């Protein structure tokens, strides 16, 4: 109901939501002109586009179309802490720095009678879908995410929740015809598959971004002396998450990135859907990042240096080596790319 209630307000600011969020919405299935189609849709198990809800949890995000130029965007109900950090990293000093991977802030305006803010962000998708095609794609995603977090750490700011859902990909060239927000493997939200180009074959290198800064904090005393208590992050396997003791938030960021990418390298008997064959050589670094003792973990800058040196040491044949999903070998008839992100990374996301 939140988005329906703010439909007109968003339209006044130049953003159009999908038809199902219009206050006077009448489902297409109930319209007289669709009577025959509605009968067949029940028999065939199909539906209408305006029946497709958003799959993203909690309702903090929704797609929209910018009236000015028809561009697809994402509107977020952001906490003021998230908004403040977004503005910080989108100031002119940082926005032009290629090492800054904070998601661009396109627009913002207050939410009436609410302590949150509407922020308008580019239309992006989670960084790991579609599945990585070759080692070069995997390595570049890891490098850019480390680069973006190292950029934050250099300024004594810890992200606080570095994980799968907060790493995004600018898919403008990967999905030249775009895709449907609620069913991202389709063009229309129904059955038309959204065609995509391999990341390693697009004209402009794919760029990865960091998002969700509501848990980010600044530590003027410096990275080495920073301490906090209470880890409110989505990855729950770190010692810090289960401890009530003070911990270093920068070290936790390192752990969380390592755990995110380590999931691609390790085969879990209960769920190996995200395991890729061909990325095993990245495992030593990722294991060091997830060391039980935080003092044994490298800094984010050291991780970035290690990855860049590792990539530079490999030839083109190795980097172009194809990656294979462990799941696809076991069940070749099953789709490797699932529609639901929450199924694919359930062990890293606690609110599945």
């Amino acid at each position: 109901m939140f988005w329906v209630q703010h439909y007109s307000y968003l339209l006044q600011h130049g953003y159009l939501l999908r038809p199902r969020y219009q206050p006077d919405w009448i489902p297409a299935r109930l319209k007289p002109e669709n009577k025959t189609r509605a009968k067949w849709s029940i028999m065939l198990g199909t539906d209408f586009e305006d029946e497709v809800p958003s799959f993203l949890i909690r309702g903090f995000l929704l797609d929209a179309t910018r009236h000015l130029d028809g561009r697809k965007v994402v509107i977020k109900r952001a906490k003021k802490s998230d908004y403040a950090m977004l503005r910080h990293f989108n100031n002119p000093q940082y926005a032009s720095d290629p090492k800054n991977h904070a998601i661009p802030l396109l627009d913002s305006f207050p939410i009436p009678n609410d302590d949150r803010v509407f922020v308008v962000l580019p239309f992006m998708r989670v960084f790991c879908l579609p599945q990585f095609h070759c080692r070069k794609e995997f390595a570049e995603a890891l490098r850019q995410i480390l680069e973006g977090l190292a950029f934050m750490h250099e300024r004594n700011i810890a992200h606080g929740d570095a994980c799968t859902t907060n790493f995004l990909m600018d898919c403008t060239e990967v999905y030249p015809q775009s895709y449907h927000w609620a069913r991202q493997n389709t063009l229309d939200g129904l059955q038309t598959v959204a065609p995509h180009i391999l990341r390693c074959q697009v004209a402009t290198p794919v760029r990865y971004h960091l998002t969700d800064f509501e848990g980010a904090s600044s530590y003027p005393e410096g990275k080495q002396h920073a301490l906090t208590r209470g880890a409110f992050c989505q990855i729950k396997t770190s010692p810090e998450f289960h401890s009530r003791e003070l911990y270093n938030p920068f070290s936790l960021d390192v752990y969380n990135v390592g755990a995110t990418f380590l999931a691609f390298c390790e085969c879990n008997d209960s769920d190996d859907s995200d395991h890729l064959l061909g990325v095993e050589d990245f495992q030593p670094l990722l294991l060091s990042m997830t060391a039980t003792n935080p003092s044994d973990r490298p800094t984010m800058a050291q991780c970035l240096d290690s990855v860049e040196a590792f990539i530079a040491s490999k030839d083109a044949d190795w980097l172009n080596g194809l990656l294979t999903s462990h799941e696809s070998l076991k069940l070749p008839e099953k789709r490797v790319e699932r529609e639901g992100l929450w199924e694919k990374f359930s062990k890293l996301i606690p609110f599945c």
Side-chain angles (χ1 to χ4, degrees):
M1 290 297 294
F2 173 85
W3 296 104
V4 175
Q5 293 169 353
H6 291 84
Y7 180 91
S8 299
Y9 180 71
L10 290 168
L11 190 59
Q12 291 173 12
H13 283 270
Y15 300 98
L16 177 67
L17 303 183
R18 281 181 278 129
R20 69 175 282 115
Y21 298 99
Q22 295 176 2
D24 57 352
W25 172 57
I26 298 176
R29 180 182 298 277
L30 301 180
K31 294 181 179 179
E33 62 268 28
N34 293 326
K35 183 176 181 181
T36 301
R37 179 186 167 192
K39 291 181 179 179
W40 280 104
S41 71
I42 294 175
M43 295 175 61
L44 299 176
T46 59
D47 49 17
F48 292 80
E49 188 280 333
D50 65 352
E51 295 177 338
V52 182
S54 292
F55 70 87
L56 287 174
I57 202 159
R58 297 179 181 175
F60 291 162
L61 298 167
L62 191 65
D63 61 311
T65 300
R66 188 165 66 182
H67 182 71
L68 177 66
D69 54 8
R71 176 180 178 177
K72 281 188 174 183
V73 296
V74 173
I75 300 179
K76 180 179 182 180
R77 299 167 58 192
K79 291 184 178 180
K80 290 186 177 179
S81 57
D82 187 11
Y83 175 54
M85 202 61 71
L86 270 171
R87 291 186 61 188
H88 179 72
F89 282 108
N90 276 271
N91 70 53
Q93 177 186 357
Y94 293 153
S96 60
D97 194 321
K99 295 182 179 180
N100 177 17
H101 289 265
I103 190 168
L105 176 62
L106 303 179
D107 194 5
S108 63
F109 41 92
I111 302 177
N113 304 312
D114 198 315
D115 60 355
R116 294 176 183 255
V117 180
F118 277 132
V119 297
V120 182
L121 308 171
F123 194 77
M124 297 189 183
R125 63 192 287 132
V126 70
F127 83 107
C128 53
L129 294 177
Q131 177 184 292
F132 295 112
H133 169 259
C134 61
R135 294 190 186 98
K136 180 180 179 180
E137 291 184 359
F138 181 85
E140 183 59 14
L142 175 58
R143 188 197 70 77
Q144 287 194 36
I145 288 169
L146 290 174
E147 181 178 63
L149 288 166
F151 182 86
M152 292 182 64
H153 285 197
E154 286 173 8
R155 287 146 186 83
N156 294 324
I157 297 175
H159 185 282
D161 194 15
C163 65
T164 301
T165 56
N166 293 333
F167 301 153
L168 301 180
M169 172 180 69
D170 183 346
C171 53
T172 305
E173 294 200 35
V174 175
Y175 285 85
Q177 298 180 49
S178 193
Y179 54 88
H180 195 281
W181 172 255
R183 289 182 178 171
Q184 297 193 356
N185 60 331
T186 72
L187 278 175
D188 55 5
L190 300 175
Q191 296 181 350
T192 305
V193 175
H196 71 271
I197 301 172
L198 297 176
R199 286 173 247 209
C200 57
Q201 294 180 355
V202 297
T204 304
V206 172
R207 187 163 173 82
Y208 297 90
H209 294 271
L210 307 174
T211 190
D212 194 359
F213 298 101
E214 64 184 55
S217 296
S218 176
Y219 297 88
E221 66 273 25
K223 297 183 290 294
Q224 293 182 344
H225 303 289
L227 291 173
T228 189
R229 181 183 279 111
F232 300 99
C233 52
Q234 296 179 52
I235 293 179
K236 301 189 296 182
T237 54
S238 67
E240 291 94 325
F241 187 88
H242 297 280
S243 173
R244 296 183 179 180
E245 303 298 321
L246 291 169
Y247 67 88
N248 186 299
F250 296 94
S251 182
L252 179 61
D253 275 356
V254 171
Y255 180 98
N256 287 341
V257 178
T260 299
F261 281 87
L262 194 58
F264 294 101
C265 305
E266 293 184 331
C267 183
N268 185 311
D269 291 337
S270 62
D271 180 12
D272 54 18
S273 60
D274 49 341
H275 176 228
L276 297 175
L277 299 177
V279 295
E280 297 79 11
D281 289 348
F282 293 91
Q283 199 164 2
L285 170 62
L286 300 174
L287 285 172
S288 71
M289 294 173 68
T290 56
T292 302
N293 186 344
S295 62
D296 292 336
R297 300 170 198 163
T299 65
M300 200 67 75
Q302 290 171 337
C303 294
L304 176 60
D305 289 343
S306 296
V307 166
E308 291 183 336
F310 178 77
I311 295 173
S313 70
K314 301 298 182 181
D315 59 25
D317 288 340
W318 187 89
L319 290 170
N320 292 326
L322 302 185
L323 303 180
T324 305
S325 166
H326 189 276
E327 183 183 58
S328 69
L329 293 180
K330 291 198 309 179
L331 300 171
E333 76 283 358
K334 190 171 184 180
R335 289 184 60 83
V336 173
E337 180 186 342
R338 294 177 177 175
E339 184 175 310
L341 168 66
W342 320 116
E343 292 180 63
K344 192 172 181 67
F345 286 92
S346 58
K347 65 175 177 291
L348 293 183
I349 304 175
F351 44 75
C352 295

